[in-house]
Amino acid sequence: MPVYNRWMMPLKVLFVCIGNSCRSPMAEAIANALGEGRIEAQSAGLAPAGWIAENTLITLERLGYSDAGLHSKGLESIETEDVDVVISLLGSRGLDLLPPGFATRREAWPIPDPIGEDEAFYNGVAQQIERRIRGFLLDEAEEELLPT
């Protein structure tokens, strides 16, 4: 009898920031690339800007991540039942602003907002997001290996 492996079905992760223009689209692109099918990332904003910042796209390209499919959207565009984990890139205050029903598992990552900053700042933010996502994936893999 096969043993259940939660990686058989991708973990559905929602990254949330304010405008869905910088941090959360970066996290979506990076997580989908690094997750290699183990996670299915989406992003949304509390007050979506309606566009992805040019420096977000430049930064993703420079770091080797695809921006295919990225577009700024609000929480109303997300099917709540399709979210296993919601990660606020605003820190804990972002979790407080979420409507009820968005995932029972919630994490808060305080990531600085690069809007209006230069490309070097965007690059630093993207690298911080990348480190957090790599840690998240390692934690998920270790949890999978723990005996039940």
Side-chain angles (χ1 to χ4, degrees):
M1 182 165 142
V3 175
Y4 172 72
N5 179 337
R6 72 177 160 164
W7 292 120
M8 290 176 169
M9 296 291 294
L11 187 67
K12 295 180 180 180
V13 180
L14 173 66
F15 292 97
V16 176
C17 69
I18 295 172
N20 193 225
S21 180
C22 303
R23 292 170 288 183
S24 57
M26 278 194 245
E28 176 182 349
I30 293 168
N32 281 325
L34 295 179
E36 298 177 332
R38 295 175 296 172
I39 67 171
E40 188 176 292
Q42 302 181 78
S43 65
L46 298 171
W51 45 271
I52 303 295
E54 183 179 352
N55 278 343
T56 297
L57 301 174
I58 291 168
T59 300
L60 288 171
E61 182 180 348
R62 185 182 307 118
L63 295 175
Y65 296 109
S66 172
D67 62 11
L70 293 181
H71 64 281
S72 180
K73 61 195 163 299
L75 293 172
E76 69 282 350
S77 300
I78 305 297
E79 298 290 332
T80 59
E81 63 273 2
D82 288 343
V83 178
D84 298 314
V85 182
V86 63
I87 299 174
S88 165
L89 302 177
L90 301 161
S92 60
R93 76 177 199 260
L95 296 177
D96 296 338
L97 299 171
L98 291 175
F102 270 98
T104 54
R105 182 171 163 201
R106 297 172 173 215
E107 294 191 19
W109 298 356
I111 306 289
D113 189 351
I115 194 74
E117 300 291 342
D118 63 15
E119 289 180 30
F121 194 88
Y122 271 80
N123 191 58
V125 167
Q127 289 176 345
Q128 186 177 356
I129 290 169
E130 185 179 52
R131 281 191 300 274
R132 293 299 300 255
I133 290 170
R134 287 183 189 282
F136 177 82
L137 291 168
L138 282 173
D139 290 347
E140 290 299 309
E142 286 175 4
E143 211 171 286
E144 181 63 30
L145 296 174
L146 293 175
T148 55

